[in-house]
């Protein structure tokens, strides 16, 4: 199934990627190649100091969303910002399609898809009333 819209929820342990369309969503989960995720504190740095060591991980996420026309990046802490910065620096064509980067802690899959539908202005298709149903 191919969709025009993608939403990425990520932290330093995993990226949950949903390709969302009017009639459904596909999900993929990517994890860093390290068996145990590590967050390193970068000495003498401005900001949170958390640096994701795996550019390959960010590259896999970029590849997974490369065909999306509009992209929403969400997640807790700095991981979402790291991805946005990585895209700007290494994949500017993909970065141009990012419509928003937002803080979202630990949503359910349904909440992620609902947020994506809201941002992308995708309302679920509604069935037309059947000929036999009448309102009184």
């Amino acid at each position: 199934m191919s969709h025009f819209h993608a939403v990425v929820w990520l932290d330093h342990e995993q990226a949950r990627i949903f390709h969302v369309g009017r009639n459904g969503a596909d999900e993929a989960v990517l994890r860093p190649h390290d068996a145990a995720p590590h967050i390193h504190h970068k000495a003498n740095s401005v900001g949170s100091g958390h640096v994701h060591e795996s550019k390959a991980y960010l590259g896999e996420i970029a590849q997974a969303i490369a065909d999306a026309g509009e992209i929403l990046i969400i997640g807790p802490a700095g991981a979402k910002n790291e991805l946005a910065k990585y895209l700007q620096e290494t994949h500017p064509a993909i970065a141009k399609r990012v419509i928003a980067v937002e803080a979202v802690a630990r949503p359910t899959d349904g909440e992620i898809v609902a947020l994506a539908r809201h941002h992308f202005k995708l309302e679920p298709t509604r069935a037309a009333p059947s000929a036999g149903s009448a309102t009184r």
Side-chain angles (χ1 to χ4, degrees), residues 16-64:
R16 292 170 31 211
I17 301 164
F18 295 81
H19 287 89
V20 181
R22 289 197 186 277
N23 298 317
D26 294 333
E27 178 185 11
V29 177
L30 298 176
R31 298 181 195 282
H33 294 294
D34 300 332
H38 295 96
I39 300 172
H40 293 280
H41 187 75
K42 191 175 181 182
N44 302 320
S45 64
V46 176
S48 70
H50 291 117
V51 175
H52 199 286
E53 66 184 270
S54 177
K55 296 295 182 193
Y57 172 55
L58 297 175
E60 288 177 19
I61 297 169
Q63 184 177 11

Side-chain angles (χ1 to χ4, degrees), residues 69-81:
E70 289 186 326
I71 301 161
L72 171 63
I73 301 172
I74 60 175
K80 66 189 176 306
N81 297 324

Side-chain angles (χ1 to χ4, degrees), residues 58 73 79-89 95 98 101:
L58 297 175
I73 301 172
K80 66 189 176 306
N81 297 324
E82 289 176 26
L83 176 60
K85 182 179 177 186
Y86 172 82
L87 292 175
Q88 289 172 348
E89 292 173 353
V98 174
V101 179

Side-chain angles (χ1 to χ4, degrees), residues 98-120:
V98 174
I99 63 164
V101 179
E102 288 192 7
V104 178
R106 295 252 176 223
T108 65
D109 290 357
E111 289 169 336
I112 292 171
V113 172
L115 184 62
R117 289 187 183 286
H118 172 75
H119 270 281
F120 300 134

